[in-house]
Amino acid sequence: MRLRWHGYKYYPYEKELALREVESLLRPIAIRQEDGSVVVDRPATAGAANRLVYFASVISDGHEPLLTHQRVLERVNGNGVGRQSTRYSAHGLHKYKGKFNPQVAKAILNIFDAKAGQYAIDPFCGSGTSLVECAHLGIRALGTDINPMAVFVANAKLQSLGIAASELSSSVTKV
């Protein structure tokens, strides 16, 4: 299996998180970097490759490239392929000072192999970045923060995830 990077520049910590994700989610026999991509030998759980954050596509022998879920999310808000998007989904509702990239939150959840139905707690949730990523993965999450504005923003983001796309489209049309 070959994993192709996104078309943007990575920080060293992101590449480290990417390799840790591969080890945790795919449990391969071996991992090597080759021709600008990562080659994974005999992954134990190949289906989890779609969950990888720092890779744009997955290529299995004899198959067409499969875009990762993260690639699709990052392209929705119109950023070009040469730039990492951190404002996809509800993350773009507010420019909260001090928030961290949603990719980091999701990568950490992947490294811990968190699964739908499990629980997570973020005692310093800020604007809810980790909580939104948990919601995307079906993980039940609880967040707290001392800043009332942060709690307000986090709640707004989480509530917005519960609005059906058809309802949003209808409201936009009416406006």
Side-chain angles (χ1 to χ4, degrees), residues 67-162:
L67 298 181
T68 61
H69 185 66
Q70 188 68 29
R71 166 76 186 264
V72 174
L73 282 173
E74 288 191 33
R75 298 290 72 84
V76 167
N77 69 347
N79 274 6
V81 294
R83 185 167 175 222
Q84 184 183 53
S85 175
T86 60
R87 299 180 60 78
Y88 61 84
S89 181
H91 296 301
L93 289 180
H94 187 275
K95 293 182 181 181
Y96 186 78
K97 198 87 163 160
K99 79 176 204 172
F100 65 113
N101 285 358
Q103 289 86 344
V104 173
K106 189 173 189 178
I108 291 169
L109 290 165
N110 284 340
I111 290 166
F112 283 107
D113 197 17
K115 296 186 181 356
Q118 290 181 327
Y119 294 87
I121 185 168
D122 185 348
F124 310 104
C125 72
S127 66
T129 301
S130 63
L131 305 178
V132 169
E133 289 304 318
C134 282
H136 282 297
L137 296 171
I139 297 164
R140 303 180 79 179
L142 172 68
T144 63
D145 202 281
I146 196 169
N147 181 345
M149 178 63 178
V151 172
F152 178 81
V153 172
N155 281 325
K157 285 181 177 182
L158 292 169
Q159 289 172 7
S160 75
L161 293 176

Side-chain angles (χ1 to χ4, degrees), residues 58-69:
V58 179
I59 304 167
S60 297
D61 292 334
H63 297 290
E64 291 291 314
L66 171 70
L67 298 181
T68 61
H69 185 66

